[in-house]
């Protein structure tokens, strides 16, 4: 595509299948303690 | 749902439900916005006809046709106008085991920071109190007992100032290490400190045992010392900077954060972030103060344009420095577009009151650190045999981005996950009513992060 550059693939929906294992870090444990910041957490699920 | 915005030289579109981010040129940006606002389907002939009519003075019909074909292709591939067909099941969270704990090891502090939500460590009670090692150990037992099949358990030593009770920290960590072996669990410890009591011995222990350390500092000396001072009024900057620099280096500039708060006193907070970067820190988080609007340092709605400009200044410099090879990480601009958290995590939010709990020095349990001391939200005690207050737990478990009308329609929902429930409760009095000012800032940060991704992908 000449005029549109897509930065990533559409993975969000697919992540439902093997997601939800709950092994990743809770957001407030990382740094913030005042805001819910989830998108920057690392996924710990190797099956995904 | 599609969100489009311009920032500096870039035109960006986020397809909310697929998570796809596109960088467009002006023509495709205009066409996309036109179709989206008018509710036109790029696959219908009507779309081409109407778009050509709208833009005939600016763009040629061939160019428009080409763009519409591209948009149609993205749509067919579920990368634009993707449906929100995710079905979230509340029960998942209701029955989720506890896996993360904030341990309030010290309700005492050697600083008197103005904006402290912990009320200088006292948490709105009349006493300054330290947690005994015994209570800490029972809390570890409690966590293991209630963690079900979860293997990774997180414990944050929090305060007040945790280093004021460091002997207890050490005892609790070594006790937890014994439990690890017995129960096949992995404990990940973190600690948050103001740095006044940080010395080599403590640092050695922390570097050995803790996966993350959060170092509180607000930025420039005058900014920091105006709000972060000792009981005698002297500022903390001069003594903590060298200690924090040493800490950061000793951890290889990773697995730590310098963590600041900005208030109405420093609306030019991008300078504070850059100051921290200039001091050599590579992992930085500076966040808006959270409080009602009644104090002179509270952020107000009228400050938003200024704050938005600051986030833009910051992201521009953030990108420039990364490109020059002297970048730093800013917590709120870090987004992993490809392998970030799964959608279930994004929908369910911070886990407060279910997966995550806070334990006060006397063993009382609250939904998270920000609720500690609030009688209304007390969920029980780690010393209780029975389970935590079911009603409260269910109330928190039922909270997710689909339970909040504001979030359902918000483009940032899969990045933000519904915001801080504590802010919603403590400021708006309802778990399902996010704090508007925080939302505005969150949305701006999401835009800045996406801009940074696009700029760095060049
Ligand atoms: S570890 Fe990954 S899959 Fe599991 S809940 Fe967290 S983000 Fe989802
Ligand atoms: S920014 Fe506000 S409205 Fe949007 S998802 Fe977050 S909490 Fe909800
Ligand atoms: S309610 Fe707010 S402060 Fe508490 S854990 Fe959630 S995001 Fe963090």
């Amino acid at each position: 595509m000449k005029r549109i550059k897509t930065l990533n693939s559409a993975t969000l929906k697919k992540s439902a299948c093997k997601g939800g294992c709950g092994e990743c870090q809770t957001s407030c444990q990382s740094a913030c303690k005042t805001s819910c910041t989830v998108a920057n957490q690392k996924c710990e699920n190797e099956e995904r | 749902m599609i969100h489009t915005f311009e920032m500096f030289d870039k035109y960006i579109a986020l397809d909310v439900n697929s998570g796809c981010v596109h960088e467009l040129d002006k023509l495709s940006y205009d066409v996309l916005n036109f179709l989206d606002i008018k509710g036109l389907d790029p696959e219908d002939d009507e779309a081409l006809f109407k778009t050509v009519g709208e833009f005939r003075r600016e763009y040629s019909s061939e160019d428009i046709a080409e763009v519409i074909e591209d948009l149609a292709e993205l749509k067919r591939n579920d990368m634009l106008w993707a449906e929100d067909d995710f079905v979230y099941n509340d029960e998942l969270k209701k029955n989720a085991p506890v896996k993360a704990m904030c341990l309030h090891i010290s309700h005492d502090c050697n600083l008197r920071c103005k904006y402290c939500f912990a009320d200088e460590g006292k948490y709105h009670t009349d006493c300054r109190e330290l947690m005994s090692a015994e209570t800490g150990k029972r809390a570890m037992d409690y966590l293991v007992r209630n963690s079900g099949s979860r293997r990774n358990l997180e414990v944050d030593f929090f305060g007040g100032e945790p280093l004021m009770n460091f002997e207890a920290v050490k005892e609790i960590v070594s006790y937890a290490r014994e439990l690890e072996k017995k129960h096949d669990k992995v404990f990940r410890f973190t600690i948050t400190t103001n740095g006044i009591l940080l010395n080599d011995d403590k640092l050695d222990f922390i570097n050995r045992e803790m996966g993350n350390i959060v170092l509180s500092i607000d930025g420039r000396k005058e900014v920091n010392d105006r709000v972060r001072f000792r009981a005698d009024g002297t500022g903390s900057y001069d003594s903590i900077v060298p200690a924090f620099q040493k800490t950061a280096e000793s951890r290889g500039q990773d697995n730590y954060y310098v963590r600041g708060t900005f208030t109405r006193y420093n609306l030019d907070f991008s300078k504070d972030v850059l100051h921290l970067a200039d001091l050599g820190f590579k992992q930085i988080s500076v966040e808006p103060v959270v409080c009602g609007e009644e104090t002179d340092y509270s952020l107000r709605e009228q400050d938003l344009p200024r704050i938005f400009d600051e986030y833009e200044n910051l992201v521009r410099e953030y990108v420039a420095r990364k490109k020059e090879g002297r970048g730093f990480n800013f917590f709120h601009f870090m987004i992993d577009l490809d392998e970030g958290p799964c959608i279930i995590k994004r929908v369910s939010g911070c886990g407060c009151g279910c997966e995550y709990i806070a334990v006060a020095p006397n063993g009382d349990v609250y939904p998270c650190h920000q609720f500690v001391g609030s009688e209304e939200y007390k969920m029980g005690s780690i010393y209780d045999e029975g389970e935590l207050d079911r009603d409260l737990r269910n109330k928190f478990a039922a909270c997710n981005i689909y339970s909040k009308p504001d979030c359902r329609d918000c483009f940032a929902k899969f990045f933000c996950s519904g915001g801080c429930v504590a802010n919603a409760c403590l400021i708006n009095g309802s778990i399902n009513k996010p704090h508007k000012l925080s939302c505005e800032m969150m949305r701006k940060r999401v835009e800045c992060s996406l801009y940074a991704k696009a700029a760095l992908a060049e």
Side-chain angles (χ1 to χ4, degrees):
Chain A
M1 268 173 219
K2 208 161 80 197
R3 299 171 180 280
I4 305 173
K5 180 165 137 197
T6 300
L7 301 183
N8 58 344
S9 50
T11 51
L12 203 50
K13 289 191 183 188
K14 276 182 241 142
S15 68
C17 322
K18 293 198 170 158
C21 71
E23 291 293 353
C24 50
Q25 194 178 39
T26 310
S27 66
C28 254
Q29 298 288 63
S30 44
C32 46
K33 291 280 180 192
T34 56
S35 67
C36 184
T37 315
V38 167
N40 56 8
Q41 303 294 327
K42 280 196 196 78
C43 176
E44 307 253 355
N45 186 342
E46 281 160 17
E47 317 242 306
R48 254 183 69 197
Chain B
M1 188 195 304
I2 296 176
H3 175 67
T4 59
F5 64 97
E6 297 177 43
M7 195 177 284
F8 306 121
D9 56 336
K10 300 217 176 296
Y11 301 94
I12 295 173
L14 164 69
D15 186 55
V16 174
N17 296 324
S18 67
C20 272
V21 182
H22 311 277
E23 188 188 340
L24 303 99
D25 68 356
K26 175 85 168 80
L27 161 59
S28 50
Y29 183 78
D30 286 344
V31 173
L32 173 60
N33 276 328
F34 181 73
L35 297 183
D36 196 42
I37 289 163
K38 298 280 175 193
L40 292 166
D41 182 340
E43 309 217 57
D44 283 350
D45 295 342
E46 191 198 5
L48 178 60
F49 178 72
K50 290 199 169 156
T51 313
V52 170
E54 173 76 12
F55 293 110
R56 71 180 164 267
R57 289 209 186 81
E58 289 129 276
Y59 307 124
S60 76
S61 49
E62 291 78 36
D63 283 349
I64 292 177
E66 191 186 29
V67 164
I68 289 190
E69 184 36 54
D70 287 349
L71 295 174
E73 187 185 329
L74 290 170
K75 182 172 183 223
R76 283 192 294 276
N77 293 333
D78 250 353
M79 297 164 87
L80 271 179
W81 291 287
E83 295 289 334
D84 184 4
D85 45 16
F86 178 67
V87 184
Y88 180 72
N89 177 0
D90 271 4
E91 297 301 315
L92 264 172
K93 218 163 129 194
K94 273 193 191 143
N95 303 314
V98 181
K99 54 159 301 216
M101 190 180 258
C102 184
L103 213 53
H104 288 236
I105 193 78
S106 161
H107 274 191
D108 194 357
C109 194
N110 41 16
L111 291 184
R112 295 289 176 268
C113 306
K114 259 192 156 155
Y115 47 59
C116 185
F117 69 75
D119 183 29
E120 299 160 7
K122 301 192 301 288
Y123 281 88
H124 315 288
T125 57
D126 282 330
C127 55
R128 300 180 177 278
E129 192 183 2
L130 299 181
M131 181 183 279
S132 68
E134 179 57 25
T135 299
K137 290 178 191 172
R138 295 295 76 81
M140 297 301 99
D141 289 334
Y142 180 92
L143 182 53
V144 168
R145 205 164 61 235
N146 288 282
S147 60
S149 61
R150 295 284 192 273
R151 188 145 187 270
N152 296 328
L153 307 180
E154 299 150 31
V155 176
D156 187 29
F157 292 101
F158 200 62
E161 173 47 40
L163 297 190
M164 292 176 80
N165 194 13
F166 203 65
E167 285 311 309
V169 171
K170 284 180 167 163
E171 267 189 63
I172 295 164
V173 168
S174 87
Y175 180 73
R177 294 287 179 227
E178 287 168 32
L179 293 180
E180 263 180 345
K181 290 179 221 128
K182 261 190 245 157
H183 300 275
D184 189 31
K185 301 280 179 186
V186 179
F187 273 95
R188 293 180 181 173
F189 294 104
T190 56
I191 191 163
T192 302
T193 176
N194 64 28
I196 299 287
L197 295 175
L198 204 54
N199 61 21
D200 288 350
D201 278 354
K202 293 189 178 102
L203 188 56
D204 276 350
F205 182 85
I206 290 169
N207 286 351
R208 216 168 39 241
E209 296 288 354
M210 312 228 177
N212 191 21
I213 175 169
V214 178
L215 309 164
S216 304
I217 176 170
D218 284 352
R220 292 164 293 177
K221 179 173 161 73
E222 62 277 17
V223 169
N224 184 82
D225 287 356
R226 183 165 181 198
V227 282
R228 305 189 61 83
F229 44 79
R230 299 178 179 82
D232 66 7
T234 55
S236 57
Y237 183 94
D238 288 336
S239 63
I240 61 178
V241 167
F244 286 176
Q245 285 170 320
K246 184 169 178 184
T247 303
E249 282 304 319
S250 72
R251 298 175 71 85
Q253 287 293 345
D254 202 5
N255 299 313
Y256 78 94
Y257 273 100
V258 284
R259 160 57 165 102
T261 298
F262 72 85
T263 72
R264 197 152 206 262
Y265 294 158
N266 61 320
L267 289 175
D268 57 350
F269 63 91
S270 71
K271 296 203 179 82
D272 293 290
V273 177
L274 297 174
H275 177 76
L276 293 169
D278 291 338
L279 288 173
F281 295 113
K282 295 289 179 201
Q283 314 295 340
I284 303 172
S285 181
V286 172
E287 312 195 11
V289 68
V290 173
C291 56
E293 294 205 359
E294 60 286 346
T295 62
D296 60 345
Y297 55 80
S298 314
L299 301 171
R300 299 173 173 73
E301 198 148 347
Q302 75 225 50
D303 300 327
L304 283 175
R306 180 72 200 278
I307 294 171
F308 291 173
D309 282 349
E310 280 301 299
Y311 276 124
E312 288 193 12
N313 291 341
L314 182 59
V315 78
R316 187 162 42 193
E317 186 63 19
Y318 175 82
V319 166
R321 290 191 185 198
K322 281 214 188 271
K323 285 188 171 169
E324 288 161 14
R326 52 185 193 111
F328 60 91
N329 287 328
F330 183 64
F331 185 68
H332 276 149
F333 290 166
M334 289 157 66
I335 287 188
D336 185 340
L337 289 180
D338 290 306
E339 286 166 21
C342 66
I343 188 158
I344 299 168
K345 170 129 176 151
R346 291 172 192 253
V347 170
S348 59
C350 64
C352 142
C354 333
E355 278 185 350
Y356 174 58
I357 54 171
V359 180
N362 62 1
D364 285 350
V365 174
Y366 296 87
C368 85
H369 51 287
Q370 290 214 43
F371 289 100
V372 169
S374 157
E375 207 39 47
E376 202 189 332
Y377 289 103
K378 189 175 142 184
M379 299 178 81
S381 160
I382 53 151
Y383 285 109
D384 292 346
E385 292 294 328
E387 49 173 68
L388 298 175
D389 186 321
R390 258 282 142 192
D391 290 344
L392 266 177
R393 200 184 142 92
N394 287 346
K395 181 173 155 179
F396 282 93
C399 177
N400 62 69
I401 59 175
Y402 295 110
S403 72
K404 308 178 208 188
D406 292 352
C407 302
R408 245 179 277 149
D409 301 326
C410 172
F411 78 81
K413 60 187 172 190
F414 293 126
F415 296 91
C416 159
S417 307
C420 171
V421 182
N423 294 351
C425 289
L426 304 173
I427 301 178
N428 283 341
S430 159
I431 192 167
N432 283 318
K433 185 102 203 62
H435 178 226
K436 191 160 168 259
L437 207 61
S438 301
C439 293
E440 297 279 0
M441 291 186 277
M442 168 61 83
R443 286 192 276 262
K444 187 68 190 178
R445 292 194 298 259
V446 169
E447 288 188 349
C448 290
S449 325
L450 298 179
Y451 165 81
K453 284 283 170 201
L456 291 167
E458 277 166 358

